[in-house]
Amino acid sequence: MKKTLLSLLICGLSLTGFAQSFTVNGLIKNQQNEPVGFAAVSVNRSQDSTLVKADVADERGAFNIAGIPDGRYFLRASAVGQQMYNSEAFDVAGKDLTLPSITMAAEARQLNEVKVSGTKPLIEVKNDRMVFNVEASINATGSNALDLLQRSPGVQVDRDENILVRGKTGVRIYIDGRPSPLAGKDLASTLKSMNSADIEAIDIITNPSAKFDAAGDLGIINIRLKKNAKLGTNGNLSLGGMFGITPKYNASLNLNHRDKKLNVFGNYGFNQGAWHNTTYDDQILNNVAYNKVWHGIWRDTTHSAKIGADYFIDSRNTIGFSANGRISNHNGGGESETFISKRNNLTADSLILSSRTSNPEKNKNLNLNVNYRYVDTTGHELNIDADYGIFGSRGISYQPNQYHFQTTSDAPIERNYVSKTPVDITIKSIKVDYEQPFRKGKLGYGAKMSDVNSDNTFNFYNVLQNVEVIDTNRSNRFKYLERVYAAYINYNVTWGKKWDLQAGLRAERTKSLGDLTSYKHNDLDKVDTTYLNFFPSGAISFRASKNHTWNLNYSRRINRPSYQNLNPFEYRVDELVYSKGNPFLKPEYANSFKLSHVYKGMITTSLGYRRTKFPVVGLRIPYDSSRTYFITQNLDYSQGYSLDISITKPITKWWELNFNISAYHNLWKAALDNGIIVNNRTTAFNLNGQNTFKLKNSWTLELSGWYNSPYRRIDYNWQMGMVDIGVQKKFWKENASLKMTFSDVFHTARGGYTSAYAGIETRLRFRFEGQMLRVSFNYRFGSKEIKAARSRRAGSEDELNRIKG
């Protein structure tokens, strides 16, 4: 049955007979001649110590590492309580090799010393990605996922909570290895409800291989959640608080039980608080000035949970299941006053618009995953993942408005509105990935089918004498279906001792259908498109010497419009601002190149070039003589050059520096139908830095910060930045820690932008609640045995760990 299943899935393409790789096996014991179970074992090149293949010994201390080509190697073994073992050099030449029995000496150091030496760096720079290890940052304490992205190297979050890389939107957000279907405010709300206590690391992958979905013209940002793979029963408890204008609280509990056959895990998280911001929006339209002051409060209460299990059928077969969900209650209301007057007047000689809005919203999200994995000792691996997810949102917006006249004694005029916006999204996907040895390398291929159904209703009501009366001219329902069929092939190979090659091709056929139902006729009721695209990718790595490594990679990517941006109907954001979608939006296509150099594993320098066809930007256009509306449009093209430098270096035994600078030059060009000519250039940069000082008695001090220089797309955006300082104390045999951080030390959490086009002049300034005291307590409890012989590599681990070059 097993052979039949494999034959069907790989369609008879197995090329095992051509594989030129062999197996290294042996036994590990201690000085008392007892087996050392579950030791970590790796085969490394003798010349430069490069890792070739790693595995974990079984409970009897036996290991069997397959996929080793001809060459000269040494073997490294490590286990808790034992000293690191490095073997003499040996040769693999045309056949499998059994090594003499390995004897490991007892470890003389204390366990806490082992922990210190294994501390992850804040930033890890690899050939295919940059990793921001959240657990390594004290000042990340209490932050949410959106805050952490702002701190991540090369990443920005703009005033509208869009996520930018090198000054441009288009990056695809993954959560634990799976793409999020959300965009705009829905994505921002989800990220703000995720606490740093539940996040292990953030992977920034600018040029993904064909293994990944092609969506995201600027690449992928994967938010990896914490996992536990230790034997026995163990867990982690985190409690935190943030104290600024108002207090905010969070808590999380992770539990895990693992034995040789079964791994069961679960967690629960809670966040509650209110965040404050102030915005000054000055606009001139038709020689009339609109000066708006907004005091906003974003309230959030979120409960999240995850349960799952992996069952190890035998040494080759594993099945797994996981379910995670999130329930959030948000309210993004606030108070505003808009002073309306003739241009350049110092007093409001016309009227004042007063508004107190409330936007309560309830979100529910559930994701289910079933995984099967097969792996054998000859290097063959099969992964099957089936996913089902639902996202539901129930939002209401209350918009009471009063016009107060300054030049007359007339009574205020009231215009009150209510809008109700239920959203339901269903996501289904199944993917199959297979890898096998082929001609001294690794051949991978697979297929995926995904289906996204989005149902968006917008009902608009005029409130007349406290009665809600539906406005049929401004109400609609928009259903959107997107189905993507994909297949790929990818090959990795090592040439000699210095060269690595990766090449791949992905094909995606996209079918999308939008159906607008409204009370009034609209010529754009249907949006129906089908297109087929091919996405090549490749990378070459060259190890010039022990201290110098070069890498060149290329990828072609796509960024599809979101369902919100395709909805052609208009809706009211507030009394003076509208928004509508554009059903004629085209996907963005980007070609990216990057050349990188790594020096001693501490300094990485990268040069990049990117050209994007049909980039999407948001524009603010006059709606009538006194109001404006937002719409997204395609430009003709954009291109950009980038320079990235990352440094991770211990200055002394007690001082470590992590520093990253990303500089870029972007060009935007278009001649739009509404007469707007775009020919904008910008040269800008952003910085991320952290200094970690290890003090006596398990104390650690951290000074960190980030800065975004001014940059331009359509608008000219001002500079932003902040500095944090924090301290950590470990106790209870380093099982517990207390972290305290004072964020935004210099009170610089502010920004803004200016723009002038289409007859509208805008100057907007904003300040968010950045300055606060963050406190977090963390406690690890239960078994501390080393990881079990096998760990599931589904989801994010499976996707990320197999990118080469």
Side-chain angles (χ1 to χ4, degrees):
M1 181 65 183
K2 186 189 305 177
K3 293 182 178 178
T4 302
L5 175 62
L6 287 174
S7 299
L8 289 173
L9 286 169
I10 66 178
C11 304
L13 293 177
S14 178
L15 301 171
T16 314
F18 295 96
Q20 300 296 315
S21 60
F22 307 98
T23 299
V24 175
N25 56 67
L27 289 171
I28 304 176
K29 61 183 181 179
N30 58 22
Q31 292 173 315
Q32 288 74 43
N33 206 32
E34 299 169 335
V36 178
F38 311 117
V41 188
S42 65
V43 174
N44 304 267
R45 286 193 181 91
S46 178
Q47 182 185 26
D48 55 10
S49 301
T50 300
L51 173 66
V52 177
K53 197 72 179 285
D55 206 340
V56 181
D58 62 20
E59 66 274 10
R60 298 175 292 105
F63 62 90
N64 195 355
I65 303 178
I68 308 300
D70 287 348
R72 191 165 180 79
Y73 306 95
F74 72 92
L75 185 132
R76 176 172 291 160
S78 62
V80 172
Q82 308 294 324
Q83 293 183 18
M84 178 77 72
Y85 173 85
N86 291 304
S87 75
E88 297 293 330
F90 57 85
D91 293 307
V92 173
K95 62 179 181 179
D96 295 342
L97 179 65
T98 299
L99 296 177
S101 181
I102 295 170
T103 301
M104 301 187 72
E107 173 64 74
R109 295 177 295 174
Q110 297 298 315
L111 184 60
N112 61 345
E113 293 176 351
V114 176
K115 292 180 180 178
V116 171
S117 65
T119 300
K120 289 184 178 180
L122 178 70
I123 304 295
E124 292 182 89
V125 180
K126 304 184 179 182
N127 284 338
D128 56 347
R129 64 193 184 273
M130 184 176 293
V131 182
F132 172 35
N133 289 307
V134 175
E135 290 181 303
S137 174
I138 298 171
N139 290 339
T141 298
S143 301
N144 60 51
L146 197 65
D147 293 333
L148 293 175
L149 288 177
Q150 180 67 275
R151 300 168 186 264
S152 301
V155 182
Q156 299 165 261
V157 179
D158 70 8
R159 65 185 182 275
D160 299 319
E161 297 181 330
N162 297 309
I163 299 165
L164 285 66
V165 173
R166 300 186 185 96
K168 186 182 180 303
T169 58
V171 68
R172 188 71 185 273
I173 301 298
Y174 279 48
I175 298 176
D176 226 15
R178 293 176 175 82
S180 171
L182 304 179
K185 69 179 183 65
D186 295 330
L187 176 61
S189 296
T190 298
L191 295 176
K192 286 192 287 187
S193 67
M194 298 174 62
N195 192 269
S196 61
D198 301 319
I199 299 173
E200 178 181 345
I202 295 175
D203 298 295
I204 304 160
I205 313 168
T206 53
N207 282 12
S209 74
K211 177 87 173 178
F212 286 89
D213 292 347
D217 68 305
L218 280 171
I220 292 169
I221 294 178
N222 181 51
I223 300 172
R224 278 192 278 139
L225 305 181
K226 289 183 178 178
K227 298 177 177 67
N228 195 326
K230 295 178 180 179
L231 284 172
T233 302
N234 46 71
N236 187 88
L237 172 67
S238 293
L239 302 172
M242 294 174 286
F243 306 94
I245 297 176
T246 54
K248 309 147 184 61
Y249 306 100
N250 60 80
S252 68
L253 175 65
N254 294 269
L255 295 173
N256 192 88
H257 175 78
R258 188 184 187 98
D259 57 30
K260 296 174 185 178
K261 282 289 186 180
L262 183 66
N263 180 42
V264 182
F265 54 89
N267 62 51
Y268 167 76
F270 171 77
N271 293 279
Q272 185 178 58
W275 285 259
H276 298 251
N277 63 85
T278 301
T279 301
Y280 303 90
D281 187 359
D282 301 325
Q283 179 181 291
I284 296 175
L285 174 64
N286 292 326
N287 212 35
V288 175
Y290 300 84
N291 304 108
K292 180 178 180 179
V293 181
W294 164 267
H295 299 286
I297 303 177
W298 190 83
R299 296 180 174 89
D300 170 66
T301 300
T302 298
H303 301 267
S304 61
K306 181 177 182 178
I307 59 171
D310 291 316
Y311 179 68
F312 306 99
I313 301 172
D314 52 36
S315 61
R316 296 184 176 188
N317 297 275
T318 305
I319 57 173
F321 165 81
S322 68
N324 64 80
R326 178 175 285 106
I327 299 175
S328 302
N329 290 329
H330 309 304
N331 193 331
E335 300 180 358
S336 69
E337 283 191 334
T338 304
F339 298 84
I340 306 173
S341 64
K342 292 181 180 178
R343 184 172 187 170
N344 298 326
N345 272 19
L346 298 179
T347 59
D349 59 357
S350 296
L351 49 86
I352 298 175
L353 170 61
S354 299
S355 179
R356 176 179 291 181
T357 61
S358 177
N359 304 295
E361 181 179 308
K362 294 183 178 180
N363 295 333
K364 294 181 179 180
N365 180 216
L366 175 65
N367 296 284
L368 306 175
N369 169 261
V370 178
N371 169 269
Y372 167 75
R373 181 185 180 222
Y374 169 85
V375 59
D376 63 20
T377 58
T378 62
H380 295 75
E381 182 173 340
L382 169 70
N383 275 278
I384 303 175
D385 275 279
D387 290 272
Y388 177 79
I390 54 175
F391 174 85
S393 173
R394 297 295 179 266
I396 302 176
S397 177
Y398 299 97
Q399 298 177 10
N401 302 278
Q402 280 192 343
Y403 287 95
H404 303 269
F405 294 91
Q406 299 294 295
T407 56
T408 69
S409 58
D410 294 344
I413 296 177
E414 288 196 16
R415 292 180 179 175
N416 301 326
Y417 312 103
V418 174
S419 58
K420 301 178 181 180
T421 54
V423 176
D424 292 290
I425 303 174
T426 303
I427 309 104
K428 293 175 285 186
S429 72
I430 184 168
K431 69 182 181 78
V432 179
D433 299 297
Y434 185 76
E435 285 188 339
Q436 66 179 63
F438 177 65
R439 296 190 181 276
K440 298 184 179 181
K442 201 77 166 178
L443 178 67
Y445 38 90
K448 180 179 180 179
M449 189 278 287
S450 64
D451 185 290
V452 178
N453 281 277
S454 175
D455 188 349
N456 313 268
T457 299
F458 183 84
N459 287 328
F460 187 88
Y461 302 85
N462 296 300
V463 181
L464 305 175
Q465 297 179 344
N466 294 322
V467 177
E468 297 178 3
V469 180
I470 192 166
D471 188 333
T472 56
N473 291 326
R474 293 194 173 95
S475 299
N476 76 97
R477 183 179 183 182
F478 186 66
K479 293 184 177 182
Y480 182 69
L481 166 68
E482 182 176 273
R483 184 169 293 160
V484 179
Y485 301 93
Y488 75 90
I489 185 168
N490 198 62
Y491 182 62
N492 298 274
V493 67
T494 298
W495 289 340
K497 299 178 180 179
K498 292 183 177 291
W499 294 89
D500 289 322
L501 170 68
Q502 176 265 318
L505 179 66
R506 187 179 186 90
E508 292 189 354
R509 181 182 183 273
T510 304
K511 168 71 175 178
S512 60
L513 175 65
D515 186 5
L516 174 68
T517 304
S518 57
Y519 292 89
K520 70 174 183 178
H521 174 71
N522 193 307
D523 294 332
L524 306 173
D525 287 348
K526 299 288 184 181
V527 180
D528 191 350
T529 58
T530 302
Y531 48 92
L532 173 66
N533 295 120
F534 295 91
F535 302 96
S537 63
I540 299 176
S541 292
F542 173 62
R543 290 176 292 278
S545 67
K546 182 179 180 180
N547 295 332
H548 298 274
T549 301
W550 295 87
N551 177 266
L552 174 66
N553 59 35
Y554 160 78
S555 67
R556 183 174 189 258
R557 309 283 296 167
I558 187 175
N559 199 38
R560 300 178 180 90
S562 68
Y563 59 84
Q564 295 105 324
N565 288 339
L566 290 170
N567 187 344
F569 215 82
E570 66 183 39
Y571 64 92
R572 188 188 299 258
V573 178
D574 60 30
E575 173 71 351
L576 298 176
V577 180
Y578 290 70
S579 179
K580 66 178 181 179
N582 181 0
F584 298 107
L585 279 179
K586 304 173 184 177
E588 300 176 307
Y589 295 93
N591 288 278
S592 304
F593 299 85
K594 187 169 72 170
L595 174 65
S596 302
H597 172 254
V598 181
Y599 175 67
K600 289 187 175 181
M602 296 187 299
I603 303 176
T604 300
T605 306
S606 301
L607 289 171
Y609 171 76
R610 183 182 304 272
R611 184 179 177 92
T612 303
K613 187 178 181 181
F614 309 131
V616 174
V617 297
L619 300 173
R620 192 172 187 176
I621 307 295
Y623 181 83
D624 55 24
S625 61
S626 61
R627 288 171 284 193
T628 60
Y629 72 92
F630 289 102
I631 190 171
T632 52
Q633 291 195 10
N634 292 106
L635 303 184
D636 294 336
Y637 74 91
S638 68
Q639 66 181 14
Y641 303 87
S642 62
L643 170 65
D644 298 275
I645 301 175
S646 296
I647 300 173
T648 300
K649 181 176 176 58
I651 306 300
T652 67
K653 292 182 179 180
W654 50 269
W655 178 13
E656 182 174 290
L657 170 67
N658 288 274
F659 176 79
N660 174 267
I661 179 171
S662 296
Y664 55 89
H665 176 82
N666 290 340
L667 167 68
W668 312 79
K669 280 211 168 190
L672 303 179
D673 294 338
N674 49 23
I676 298 177
I677 303 298
V678 178
N679 186 11
N680 294 341
R681 297 176 183 267
T682 188
T683 300
F685 66 93
N686 47 62
L687 304 173
N688 298 80
Q690 176 172 303
N691 290 275
T692 303
F693 306 94
K694 295 180 181 180
L695 310 178
K696 295 180 179 181
N697 300 321
S698 298
W699 285 90
T700 304
L701 179 68
E702 185 177 286
L703 180 66
S704 65
W706 57 267
Y707 171 78
N708 297 331
S709 75
Y711 67 95
R712 183 171 186 176
R713 285 181 289 173
I714 302 300
D715 308 322
Y716 178 80
N717 294 266
W718 301 354
Q719 64 183 358
M720 288 182 63
M722 60 191 301
V723 173
D724 301 338
I725 186 169
V727 64
Q728 173 182 269
K729 168 64 176 176
K730 292 185 177 181
F731 48 96
W732 296 348
K733 297 182 179 180
E734 298 200 356
N735 291 318
S737 65
L738 182 65
K739 301 178 182 179
M740 296 182 63
T741 296
F742 185 61
S743 61
D744 193 16
V745 174
F746 301 108
H747 209 45
T748 55
R750 66 186 75 179
Y753 76 95
T754 58
S755 66
Y757 60 87
I760 305 173
E761 297 180 31
T762 303
R763 184 175 185 267
L764 183 142
R765 296 158 290 153
F766 64 88
R767 177 192 294 276
F768 60 89
E769 185 184 2
Q771 194 170 78
M772 63 181 73
L773 177 66
R774 305 169 186 257
V775 181
S776 175
F777 170 77
N778 185 277
Y779 176 59
R780 298 191 304 270
F781 56 89
S783 172
K784 301 175 182 60
E785 292 184 52
I786 198 169
K787 292 180 181 179
R790 300 185 68 255
S791 61
R792 177 181 176 184
R793 296 196 306 165
S796 61
E797 288 185 81
D798 180 54
E799 293 283 337
L800 296 173
N801 291 342
R802 286 187 293 211
I803 289 192
K804 307 294 183 183

